[in-house]
């Protein structure tokens, strides 16, 4: 169960960060290459943050 939650949090963090950064930069009219690169970097950071959240949760249990 914990492994499934870990994957779900990683995926949710990555998708949320990718979507948020992509939306903001597209709305501001940033070039496509910048938008995609920044969104991909944000997805990595979001996935890391989701994994870190799960690690913190596992330590409390």
């Amino acid at each position: 169960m914990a492994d499934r939650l870990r994957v779900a949090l990683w995926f949710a963090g990555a998708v949320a960060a990718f979507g948020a950064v992509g939306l903001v930069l597209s709305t501001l009219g940033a070039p496509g290459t910048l938008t995609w690169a920044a969104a991909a970097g944000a997805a990595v950071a979001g996935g890391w943050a989701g994994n870190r959240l799960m690690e913190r949760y596992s330590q409390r249990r």
Side-chain angles (χ1 to χ4, degrees):
M1 180 70 177
D3 289 335
R4 287 183 183 173
L5 182 57
R6 180 182 306 274
V7 170
L9 284 173
W10 178 87
F11 187 75
V15 169
F18 182 87
V21 169
L23 178 69
V24 168
L25 290 177
S26 292
T27 302
L28 294 175
T33 53
L34 173 67
T35 301
W36 277 102
V44 170
W48 176 82
N51 188 42
R52 185 73 184 124
L53 181 65
M54 183 60 192
E55 287 176 5
R56 216 181 285 169
Y57 172 73
S58 295
Q59 290 174 355
R60 286 186 159 182
R61 292 183 78 205

